[in-house]
Amino acid sequence: MNENIRTRFAPSPTGYMHIGNLHTALFEWLFARHEGGKFILRIEDTDVERHTPEAVQVIYDGLRWLGLDWDEGPDVGGPHGPYVQSERVEIYQGYLQQLVAEGKAYECYCTPEELTARREAMRARGEAPRYDNRCRTLTEAERAAAQAAGQQACVRLRMPEGGATVVRDLIQGEVSFENALVGDPVIGKTSGFPTYHMAVVVDDYLMQISHVIRAAEHLANTQVHMQIQAALDFPTPTYAHLPLILGEDRTKLSKRHGAVSVVEYQEKGFLPEALFNFLALLGWSPGGSEEVLSREEIIERFTLEACSASPAVFDLAKAEWLNSEYMKQMPGEEMATRLLPLLQEHGLMEAEPSPERLAWLAQVADLMKERAPLLTTYAEWARYFFTDDYEYDEKARDKWLTKPETPGVLRQLAERLETLAGWDAESVEGAVRGLAEEVGVGAGKVIHPCRAAVTGTTVGPSLFHLLELLPQETVVMRLRRAAEAFGEQ
RNA sequence: GGCCCCAUAGUCUAGUGGUUAGGACUCCGCUCUUUCAAGGCGGCAGCACGGGUUCGAGUCCCGUUGGGGCUACCA
């Protein structure tokens, strides 16, 4: 247990939770939990235009769905609040003023238009497009003039003119950046808001974040962050930059790759525990050959040292495989609980099912869980358990239903089953096999047409156990219905 | 363009100078069974390339190539 270990997840409220962000959050959470430290949630909304209040809820929902709880945050509070950056502007302004007063930062009067124009010009000349630091050397008179003219100013950090900034990163190793290569970065916006760089440094310090764990896209920014820390006389936290998650084309996972938002995975029918496991395996290796690991095992084994530095492609097929593994090992009652909302949505289950009905659903779930990769495919594949309204698929028709002898077989079977005294897998099997024997055909000649008629498909769980879970009269009706439908062919 | 990072099969990965380069997903066979979309068994497929260092390199160094990130008053 080490409460001094503190990590944070610092998303900006954009209205949706990117799966890559959730991956980052997971690793930050895992490290904190493994070390017995604290996991802090902080909302980075210094870009006013982007901020929407509902968007914060989306972040909560995503984290909770995956089971990532936070020890400090906007809703739960904590000793270092507030945990929303827009509520901390005075704090940043204090530090900004301090830096200007100390001469470590300065006000810059260049307008965005001028900056863009100059950047374009530099690019055209084949130069690296960066700020030319012209306001750094303004005289007092020039500053006074600019202020008198009512020109708006942003605040820029005075970068060291030489030397290099060395990031010691737990995952990426030692990375060095030349200071002379970057222009003085903006740390305070004209609006009075801090930039991301300023806010992140101040908050990580004030919130006593010990390990800054974030995506690798921030590695280069760390140079600026460390210079702000130096100017403010803040200690440098330990850094760990996580590999980026890529789409199939090996570029940063984005909307054009398809499902990228966490809710899309919920809607696809992923179990949160499966996605948790899958995400953990992206960029981290548990060591052994076992990959299906419980949340506890993952926490237990997680270390930053075992994290990879190379980017990882999100492999949906493997995610689905993992999901199916979780469904297989889940008890029927639990599966029923997960399935119920989905089935209700499709009108396949009533709004308030009785305990008996739920017990039945659990039996159906147990029977089917070995097959479907996702909750949604499951609901599709099990449709015939819930309604008589299903289609006969192509294979069922071609292979069995349209065979000339099938209607007769179905009628005879219907007759037998209708008068069957007990309705359980065993007696149904007896009736089916009995009929086959009498007619003098293999059991398959009865079983297959029966499955096709009653389920509309050629695949599925054990026929007798499946029939057992359907009402006797339903099965009889479906057999006759199919016999009728295909009788004239 | 500049800076930085990355590089084991299609994908996720183990490997830390001496291994028949291991596991997982996918795909493909075979098999069991009343079906497979399940189970069992098996198979295809990899150290990007070129130089070094070394008795010996997937492993260390340099370069090339490829990919990615950053280069905003977005985070």
Side-chain angles (χ1 to χ4, degrees):
Chain A
M1 284 295 154
N2 188 349
E3 302 225 335
N4 295 327
I5 300 284
R6 295 168 59 83
T7 65
R8 80 326 190 250
F9 178 51
S12 72
T14 56
Y16 78 103
M17 175 85 114
H18 190 285
I19 193 79
N21 282 135
L22 192 61
H23 174 259
T24 303
L26 172 63
F27 279 50
E28 289 160 346
W29 181 89
L30 280 173
F31 181 71
R33 293 294 170 256
H34 175 84
E35 298 289 337
K38 299 279 188 206
F39 177 61
I40 289 99
L41 175 62
R42 180 175 75 221
I43 302 299
E44 307 223 326
D45 58 347
T46 54
D47 185 16
V48 228
E49 287 171 22
R50 268 210 224 174
H51 174 88
T52 60
E54 321 80 62
V56 177
Q57 188 60 42
V58 173
I59 293 165
Y60 294 161
D61 292 345
L63 292 173
R64 287 201 184 108
W65 182 67
L66 206 67
L68 308 184
D69 57 325
W70 49 100
D71 304 298
E72 296 169 28
D75 54 340
V76 294
H80 307 285
Y83 293 88
V84 176
Q85 289 187 331
S86 56
E87 294 168 21
R88 301 170 63 80
V89 217
E90 328 76 62
I91 300 175
Y92 311 120
Q93 279 168 350
Y95 285 107
L96 247 14
Q97 280 158 18
Q98 177 195 325
L99 288 176
V100 173
E102 291 173 351
K104 293 173 175 169
Y106 60 91
E107 298 194 309
C108 165
Y109 301 94
C110 302
T111 67
E113 294 72 33
E114 289 167 351
L115 292 170
T116 320
R118 270 185 261 155
R119 236 189 330 262
E120 291 309 315
M122 291 173 97
R123 222 188 289 272
R125 269 177 276 138
E127 291 170 33
R130 63 164 180 266
Y131 181 58
D132 55 14
N133 296 357
R134 70 173 59 184
C135 291
R136 185 200 267 233
T137 50
L138 254 32
T139 62
E140 280 311 311
E142 286 168 324
R143 283 183 192 286
Q147 268 158 16
Q151 286 186 42
Q152 301 252 291
C154 70
V155 180
R156 285 185 188 268
L157 180 76
R158 210 178 273 271
M159 283 289 285
E161 282 162 41
T165 305
V166 178
V167 182
R168 290 190 177 76
D169 190 281
L170 253 30
I171 297 170
Q172 309 285 336
E174 230 177 67
V175 187
S176 174
F177 299 92
E178 292 293 326
N179 292 327
L181 259 26
V182 300
D184 290 341
V186 174
I187 55 176
K189 303 181 190 179
T190 310
S191 63
F193 269 70
T195 60
Y196 158 73
H197 305 299
M198 182 67 190
V200 104
V201 165
V202 168
D203 286 346
D204 284 344
Y205 168 71
L206 292 177
M207 296 180 185
Q208 293 171 30
I209 302 304
S210 64
H211 292 68
V212 172
I213 303 171
R214 60 192 6 172
E217 56 190 325
H218 290 299
L219 184 58
N221 291 329
T222 309
Q223 174 184 31
V224 169
H225 300 172
M226 288 179 69
Q227 288 307 330
I228 298 175
Q229 283 156 8
L232 252 15
D233 216 18
F234 289 169
T236 295
T238 301
Y239 284 106
H241 286 91
L242 264 15
L244 242 29
I245 308 235
L246 311 178
E248 306 216 316
D249 61 353
R250 304 207 131 261
T251 63
K252 194 161 109 180
L253 196 64
S254 71
K255 282 179 182 163
R256 69 199 154 80
H257 291 106
V260 89
S261 141
V262 175
V263 291
E264 291 176 81
Y265 289 89
Q266 299 175 4
E267 286 165 3
K268 270 175 187 278
F270 275 97
L271 257 19
E273 43 273 78
L275 200 65
F276 181 104
N277 194 156
F278 176 72
L279 252 22
L281 257 19
L282 233 43
W284 171 72
S285 171
S289 62
E290 190 54 51
E291 295 195 321
V292 185
L293 300 167
S294 72
R295 154 183 305 251
E296 289 68 33
E297 287 171 307
I298 293 173
I299 293 173
E300 163 85 35
R301 292 156 82 158
F302 184 83
T303 64
L304 255 14
E305 288 70 28
C307 288
S308 157
S310 54
V313 173
F314 191 98
D315 183 4
L316 195 61
K318 186 159 182 178
E320 290 188 358
W321 165 78
L322 246 184
N323 200 65
S324 73
E325 289 298 306
Y326 275 84
M327 299 217 297
K328 276 179 209 169
Q329 59 182 237
M330 188 171 278
E333 299 77 44
E334 182 60 29
M335 271 299 292
T337 315
R338 312 285 185 118
L339 239 21
L340 187 58
L342 194 61
L343 294 168
Q344 287 167 330
E345 210 175 291
H346 290 255
L348 296 174
M349 278 291 283
E350 54 279 18
E352 285 171 24
S354 65
E356 295 73 34
R357 185 82 168 130
L358 284 175
W360 170 80
L361 180 59
Q363 284 182 279
V364 173
D366 255 328
L367 204 55
M368 286 290 287
K369 71 184 185 190
E370 298 263 320
R371 291 176 161 73
L374 297 167
L375 291 173
T376 45
T377 43
Y378 191 115
E380 277 171 44
W381 292 354
R383 181 177 175 84
Y384 54 81
F385 279 106
F386 307 96
T387 174
D388 296 328
D389 178 24
Y390 53 86
E391 305 276 312
Y392 301 109
D393 68 33
E394 204 184 314
K395 209 170 165 193
R397 303 175 83 103
D398 295 352
K399 206 163 176 203
W400 302 107
L401 266 11
T402 54
K403 288 280 149 61
E405 65 274 19
T406 294
V409 171
L410 294 179
R411 278 202 189 88
Q412 288 179 71
L413 183 61
E415 223 163 282
R416 287 210 168 216
L417 293 183
E418 189 168 37
T419 54
L420 199 61
W423 192 254
D424 54 67
E426 213 175 308
S427 44
V428 171
E429 177 163 10
V432 170
R433 290 191 189 281
L435 175 65
E437 208 169 311
E438 258 174 56
V439 181
V441 297
K445 295 282 187 206
V446 180
I447 287 167
H448 297 305
C450 176
R451 178 190 298 281
V454 177
T455 73
T457 177
T458 57
V459 300
S462 155
L463 180 70
F464 310 121
H465 290 92
L466 169 174
L467 293 178
E468 178 184 48
L469 292 181
L470 286 167
Q472 185 168 11
E473 57 276 17
T474 296
V475 172
V476 171
M477 182 279 283
R478 289 183 186 179
L479 289 172
R480 294 209 165 112
R481 184 176 65 176
E484 189 105 350
F486 296 93
E488 300 308 315
Q489 302 188 24

